[in-house]
Amino acid sequence: IGKTYLQDGEFFIAAINVERALAIDLSNADIFGRLGIIFFKARNYESAVEVLGCAVDGCSAEENGALLCELKVIACDEDTQAEAVGQEVIGLPLSDATLEYYYTFASVLTSFRGAPSVPNACGRAEVLLDQLMTSYGTDPIVVGIVAENRQLCSGLAPATTATP
């Protein structure tokens, strides 16, 4: 249901439906990835970077619990112990099914270059960009995404085409 609403551009209701699925399976990295894509398309980059990080890199029970409480996927109060409510999430390997999560996560990290809230964002993105080039270096779309992100992290503005 969430994917259908996402395709219609209904990000809020898409997120609600995917969060409901996440509440059922707290450690499902693919659901984290899907939610991250929704947040990214809704321009909620702060949430996207955390959620996609869980999908791609995985996260501990404590990190998962804190994120689930922050997103209000589960009901938490000030006495809630994050590690008690969370479950470890095993990151997804790069594959055709997870490619979108990887390049979106790299792009979100790149957007946080220099931001204290996401330390070493470009370094973390570069690891993902290397993986993308190793596995998908012949795909022109992936090559373009990697090149643009590397330009941004190096401080160069991406090349733009002038319009008449």
Side-chain angles (χ1 to χ4, degrees):
I1 295 171
K3 286 175 89 172
T4 301
Y5 281 114
L6 174 62
Q7 291 171 344
D8 288 342
E10 298 287 340
F11 305 122
F12 181 74
I13 194 69
I16 288 173
N17 279 280
V18 174
E19 286 170 350
R20 285 182 184 155
L22 192 56
I24 295 168
D25 190 354
L26 302 175
S27 65
N28 188 316
D30 190 55
I31 297 173
F32 272 98
R34 195 55 36 213
L35 185 58
I37 296 300
I38 292 168
F39 286 151
F40 176 78
K41 290 186 177 188
R43 297 185 179 142
N44 180 352
Y45 304 123
E46 292 81 8
S47 295
V49 75
E50 293 183 52
V51 174
L52 286 167
C54 254
V56 171
D57 293 336
C59 54
S60 68
E62 184 176 355
E63 293 166 326
N64 174 296
L67 186 55
L68 295 171
C69 289
E70 179 184 326
L71 296 173
K72 298 184 181 9
V73 170
I74 55 177
C76 302
D77 58 28
E78 62 274 352
D79 296 327
T80 301
Q81 301 271 332
E83 64 274 0
V85 295
Q87 298 176 7
E88 181 182 11
V89 177
I90 306 299
L92 297 166
L94 179 59
S95 68
D96 291 350
T98 63
L99 176 61
E100 183 180 19
Y101 304 156
Y102 272 75
Y103 67 68
T104 303
F105 185 37
S107 296
V108 172
L109 283 169
T110 300
S111 73
F112 281 99
R113 64 193 177 281
S117 61
V118 184
N120 191 29
C122 280
R124 291 172 62 196
E126 188 58 39
V127 171
L128 298 170
L129 298 173
D130 283 343
Q131 290 176 336
L132 288 166
M133 287 304 291
T134 299
S135 298
Y136 293 92
T138 59
D139 184 318
I141 294 171
V142 171
V143 170
I145 291 168
V146 169
E148 185 174 313
N149 282 297
R150 285 183 169 156
Q151 282 181 334
L152 289 168
C153 276
S154 70
L156 301 173
T160 57
T161 306
T163 55

